Amino acid sequence: MLKILKTRFQQKYRTLSYPDGPAPEMPLRFAGRPVLDPGCQAGCGACRSACPTGAIMAAPAGGTLSLDTGRCLFCRACEKSCPQGLIRFSRDHGLASATRQGLVIETGAVQTVSARNELAATLFARSLKLRQVSAGGCNACEADCNVLGTPAWDIGRFGIQFVASPRHADGLLVTGPVTDNMRLALEKTYAAVPDPKIVIAVGACAISGGPYAEHAEQHNGASSVVPVDLFIPGCPPHPLTILDGLLKLSGRITAVENS
Amino acid sequence: MAPSSDWVMIGNNEAIGLKAIAAVSFERFRQAVIEAVAGEARLSALPVWSPGDSGGLRVIAVLSLPQRGELGLLSAALPDRWPSLTPHCPAAHWFEREIAEQWGLTPEGHPWLKPIRFQPCRRHPDGGSRSACAGLTDFFAMAGQESHEVAVGPVHAGIIEPGHFRFLCHGETVYHLEISLGYQHRGIERAMTGGPVPRSVHYMETLAGDTTIGHVTAYSHLLEALAGATVPARGKAIRAIAAELERIANHVGDLGALAGDVGFLPTRDYCGRIRGDVLNMTAAVCGNRFGRGLIRPGRVQWDLDGGLTEDLLARLDAVEKDVTGAVPLMLDTPSVLARLEGTGVVSSETARDIGMVGVAARASGLECHVCAEFPYGIYRLAQLPVNTWTGGDCAARTYVRWFEVQASIDFLRHQLLELPAGPVDRKLSPMAPESLAVSLVEGWRGEICHVAATDRESRFAFYKVVDPSFHNWFGLALALRGQQISDFPLCNKSFSLSYCGHDL
Ligand code: SF4
Ligand code: SF4
């Protein structure tokens, strides 16, 4: 018993003060929200051919670039490939959006992306129980959702909790591209959640199929099966990105202007 | 016993012309594999592919021969039906099921032939023998009073990957556990064929997300072998640093989860956070907590410069201090040990017979460890001690993990202090055509085996991945025999296997 108390003392108090205090600092080499320089007129296409998932598109008319963070693996291949250095990745962790279109970043544009959901901000504001469904993918997104339950992040502080049964849940948090083999299980789990309910798609896989997009063995993400209310990009998203998304969803923090 | 002279020997990460691999009759192939595995050899992979010229299928056996430090290769034309190897070579059982499912063939007399992934057949993608629904297949059944079945999954109670578990019970006792996987199948091996393309390396980084470094290292070694090059020493050291961080993070996470499953909450909570601290060290190196983007064929993309080495050493000291507080706390508690000891036993004979690898095999007393048997990269120069334990129970698997954490911390500190100078990349020439290479890596779960062959245009004719979980899932099933269902979470955690790495 004394040893347990001694170790408890040594291990200290570790829960983040965020969001009341400052957000934890992201690693220096972290790839967060991409920034596209307006100087590019979608000329050489080097970034597009380097991109493994087709996340970079030239707008049909004018030719300026856009980058779909819902497909992006944050691998920096585009950044490396650009001969003029016009694509770079900031350390901004805030990436979530309530709409699929809100994930697309345009050249130089100033965008305000909303991740707020009325239901989450009112009925579920003080208690949001989520059932996690892992539907393909690589288990890294799941791992970083799990992390949110550890004492350092402690999402219980916000009334958010992962529960064991869909019957106890207010919504689903889906990861993975929805493999053919998981489609039925996802449908059934969704049906088992009582109305009204919300769905959160975490990671490139769940948003677009991610690295497996267009494979015949999967369905290009959760939207193919269930309506999605919040998209959180990344491969995997940093725990802070997921937390940021959940807090914006319930209106606890508001979206800032992203430029 | 040395295998028969038909076998062609190569080293780990060595390429060989496809024509140099001896092709024998299937009957001779079958005998040779059975004999070799009955001796010292491990069956590391059994890839099948269609070379395209003759329309037929070929099979290659990849054996690891730890006592010689070499890999044995042998090939044969694969008939549509053959007398199953499994009754004489249990280690082949999962491989034969995989082949039967992927190619629509029949190993006759296989004791339990059913799909392992519920994936489309490669030869008849639109139909064939594919079950209408994942998990819809025969299961063992038991009749009689008080006998009952418990089915769990694919969606589980926690945040974990999908899999289906069927417990056959009589009263409180589990007679057998059947594990039905495939829910994570997303077609990685199929998509690798014809590569490499820009996505290939991402398949490798995400085929088992918690083993990003392990699998991308094996992939890089394979491409480097086929291109006849290796990375400079500094690059090798950085790869090993990332690999040991991955090992420590996962083992610490599992030790915490084991503590949670026996209800010892202090260690669970501390380890959960310490794991995060280790992942953040990886993020300090490459920006991503799982090591995405760090390793590429021919190079590492991030160097340890600008004071990063000192920063990592300081963080490592803190991790060491925290973890040597948190883990012994649990292991010195009699009630925890009482729960772990004698639970989920796999004897060393069983482990050997079914071809188990990695942590679980070492906990059953088998001294298998790729870094020691087939050293690669910086492990050729710096040794990572092999820790084994006897007993084969949950306690043994817990101890092996804890010893490995400590050994990896020492190894890591040494590597960080002695980091070689120089470049971290090398220009790769194109891969050799019509060649095959094998890459073995000791991932944190155990032996990772990648095998690939190139066609005339130096594209992948096939790409085979064998995650350690592929060898070990059946071990978990056997560990449950004679236990209670309530022992399952503990046994499962003590094996800590990958669903996605198995399902591919
Ligand atoms: S960082 Fe994203 S957009 Fe850029 S190449 Fe990688 S996946 Fe494509
Ligand atoms: S989005 Fe990336 S990290 Fe998440 S499950 Fe898919 S491959 Fe893994």
Side-chain angles (χ1 to χ4, degrees):
Chain A
M1 190 64 212
L2 280 178
K3 236 174 110 184
I4 294 180
L5 287 174
K6 183 167 151 253
T7 315
R8 174 70 197 86
F9 186 68
Q10 281 170 351
Q11 302 272 349
K12 309 193 194 93
Y13 179 81
R14 307 273 190 159
T15 305
L16 296 174
S17 59
Y18 177 81
D20 298 334
E25 196 171 343
M26 300 306 267
L28 281 174
R29 294 171 173 182
F30 174 73
R33 192 176 181 77
V35 181
L36 308 180
D37 196 291
C40 179
Q41 291 305 313
C44 73
C47 54
R48 267 179 291 155
S49 34
C51 179
T53 56
I56 299 180
M57 299 152 295
T64 58
L65 284 184
S66 59
L67 191 159
D68 180 358
T69 56
R71 289 171 172 243
C72 181
L73 308 179
F74 296 82
C75 72
R76 294 183 186 264
C78 49
E79 186 184 47
K80 280 203 178 62
S81 73
C82 178
Q84 303 186 68
L86 300 179
I87 302 179
R88 62 183 183 84
F89 284 80
S90 72
R91 283 161 71 205
D92 179 0
H93 66 267
L95 292 164
S97 165
T99 61
R100 184 68 184 80
Q101 193 49 38
L103 301 178
V104 179
I105 291 178
E106 313 278 349
T107 303
V110 176
Q111 290 164 272
T112 311
V113 177
S114 170
R116 186 185 155 96
N117 175 282
E118 264 326 294
L119 201 53
T122 52
L123 185 61
F124 302 143
R126 285 148 67 97
S127 164
L128 176 62
K129 308 289 172 194
L130 295 171
R131 169 64 260 191
Q132 203 276 326
V133 180
S134 165
C138 80
N139 199 31
C141 280
E142 288 85 338
D144 272 348
C145 289
N146 250 326
V147 159
L148 296 178
T150 62
W153 298 90
D154 189 19
I155 47 165
R157 291 182 286 158
F158 311 109
I160 305 172
Q161 193 193 352
F162 290 101
V163 293
S165 167
R167 303 269 188 227
H168 303 160
D170 306 310
L172 298 182
L173 186 150
V174 183
T175 53
V178 187
T179 53
D180 209 22
N181 286 346
M182 270 306 283
R183 185 190 178 121
L184 181 64
L186 176 59
E187 281 168 2
K188 285 188 172 179
T189 310
Y190 179 74
V193 177
D195 281 323
K197 50 192 161 190
I198 57 169
V199 177
I200 302 167
V202 171
C205 279
I207 299 173
S208 66
Y212 319 111
E214 311 307 333
H215 282 205
E217 295 86 349
Q218 55 81 55
H219 296 278
N220 291 339
S223 311
S224 60
V225 182
V226 292
V228 175
D229 302 290
L230 178 69
F231 300 89
I232 305 181
C235 184
H238 192 279
L240 187 60
T241 303
I242 307 177
L243 180 60
D244 166 84
L246 294 175
L247 296 180
K248 282 177 183 161
L249 181 81
S250 57
R252 258 194 201 82
I253 55 177
T254 43
V256 285
E257 231 174 45
N258 292 302
S259 58
Chain B
M1 187 179 68
S4 71
S5 55
D6 286 339
W7 295 91
V8 177
M9 298 294 162
I10 59 169
N12 187 11
N13 305 321
E14 200 180 304
I16 182 172
L18 273 174
K19 296 209 170 68
I21 303 170
V24 295
S25 73
F26 186 81
E27 186 42 38
R28 192 149 155 196
F29 172 90
R30 179 177 178 277
Q31 271 312 323
V33 173
I34 291 172
E35 274 166 30
V37 176
E40 55 147 320
R42 258 197 328 260
L43 187 55
S44 286
L46 202 59
V48 170
W49 93 105
S50 157
D53 38 14
S54 59
L57 296 176
R58 296 206 71 79
V59 57
I60 294 188
V62 180
L63 295 184
S64 8
L65 300 152
Q67 284 163 23
R68 304 171 56 137
E70 285 182 312
L71 306 168
L73 303 174
L74 188 64
S75 94
L78 187 67
D80 280 358
R81 319 178 80 80
W82 65 91
S84 169
L85 281 72
T86 300
H88 311 279
C89 174
H93 75 129
W94 217 261
F95 288 110
E96 285 195 307
R97 278 171 63 174
E98 178 185 48
I99 294 171
E101 176 176 21
Q102 286 185 341
W103 301 97
L105 307 171
T106 315
E108 285 171 331
H110 188 289
W112 198 219
L113 193 60
K114 51 187 254 177
I116 62 171
R117 298 195 182 98
F118 300 89
Q119 68 177 98
C121 170
R122 297 255 178 99
R123 289 207 302 182
H124 320 282
D126 302 322
S129 55
R130 191 181 187 200
S131 171
C133 175
L136 207 62
T137 177
D138 290 336
F139 286 86
F140 283 124
M142 207 166 80
Q145 270 188 348
E146 280 188 45
S147 79
H148 59 105
E149 288 177 14
V150 177
V152 186
V155 179
H156 299 285
I159 306 181
I160 36 172
E161 297 180 76
H164 180 73
F165 299 87
R166 269 290 164 107
F167 300 86
L168 280 185
C169 309
H170 182 260
E172 291 293 317
T173 309
V174 177
Y175 274 70
H176 188 60
L177 160 64
E178 261 198 279
I179 301 173
S180 186
L181 302 174
Y183 298 94
Q184 302 276 62
H185 177 67
R186 53 219 187 276
I188 290 178
E189 283 184 349
R190 178 192 55 69
M192 285 297 286
T193 313
V197 292
R199 270 202 212 181
S200 305
V201 74
H202 298 282
Y203 293 135
M204 297 295 113
E205 288 191 327
T206 62
L207 75 86
D210 52 24
T211 318
T212 295
I213 297 295
H215 280 289
V216 79
T217 300
Y219 171 72
S220 300
H221 284 166
L222 204 76
L223 261 73
E224 288 155 15
L226 287 164
T230 56
V231 293
R234 190 177 176 87
K236 287 181 182 153
I238 294 173
R239 286 180 178 180
I241 288 167
E244 295 316 315
L245 285 171
E246 186 168 272
R247 199 181 317 276
I248 297 169
N250 282 296
H251 281 352
V252 169
D254 282 340
L255 288 165
L258 278 159
D261 278 338
V262 301
F264 194 74
L265 302 189
T267 300
R268 179 197 71 176
D269 286 349
Y270 304 147
C271 283
R273 178 189 52 77
I274 299 165
R275 171 182 168 275
D277 292 346
V278 182
L279 294 178
N280 289 340
M281 289 170 73
T282 304
V285 176
C286 69
N288 181 289
R289 286 155 49 93
F290 295 85
R292 306 273 158 90
L294 175 59
I295 296 173
R296 290 292 179 270
R299 62 189 197 275
V300 294
Q301 304 210 96
W302 298 96
D303 200 353
L304 296 186
D305 41 20
L308 199 49
T309 323
E310 293 71 31
D311 174 38
L312 289 177
L313 278 166
R315 294 192 196 203
L316 186 65
D317 288 342
V319 163
E320 184 175 36
K321 182 161 169 281
D322 286 351
V323 81
T324 40
V327 178
L329 191 64
M330 157 171 88
L331 294 176
D332 288 348
T333 303
S335 58
V336 171
L337 292 179
R339 184 75 185 84
L340 296 173
E341 283 171 356
T343 305
V345 177
V346 179
S347 72
S348 56
E349 296 74 46
T350 304
R352 168 83 185 74
D353 283 350
I354 62 172
M356 272 166 57
V357 296
V359 171
R362 290 193 284 279
S364 291
L366 304 188
E367 269 189 48
C368 51
H369 198 301
V370 177
C371 292
E373 297 168 337
F374 308 96
Y376 52 88
I378 212 75
Y379 300 98
R380 295 173 79 108
L381 307 172
Q383 275 187 2
L384 190 63
V386 180
N387 288 290
T388 61
W389 198 256
T390 49
D393 54 1
C394 289
R397 291 185 284 274
T398 307
Y399 278 118
V400 169
R401 276 179 218 289
W402 171 229
F403 295 144
E404 292 191 8
V405 168
Q406 298 171 76
S408 289
I409 289 176
D410 289 344
F411 181 92
L412 203 51
R413 182 173 291 122
H414 181 79
Q415 288 304 319
L416 287 166
L417 288 169
E418 308 279 321
L419 195 64
V424 294
D425 57 352
R426 175 149 299 157
K427 184 122 190 59
L428 284 191
S429 35
M431 299 192 292
E434 302 197 291
S435 300
L436 176 140
V438 181
S439 174
L440 294 183
V441 162
E442 187 73 21
W444 65 274
R445 284 192 180 88
E447 177 186 296
I448 292 170
C449 179
H450 288 206
V451 190
T454 49
D455 62 15
R456 266 186 221 114
E457 279 78 47
S458 296
R459 301 255 139 214
F460 291 133
F462 72 85
Y463 197 100
K464 180 93 224 133
V465 175
V466 188
D467 186 82
S469 312
F470 186 92
H471 299 281
N472 284 5
W473 273 112
F474 193 60
L476 172 60
L478 295 183
L480 251 282
R481 288 194 177 173
Q483 305 291 308
Q484 307 212 332
I485 293 187
S486 54
D487 293 325
F488 176 70
L490 199 54
C491 292
N492 190 23
K493 253 303 144 216
S494 75
F495 274 81
S496 187
L497 301 175
S498 173
Y499 302 71
C500 52
H502 171 276
D503 292 348
L504 299 174

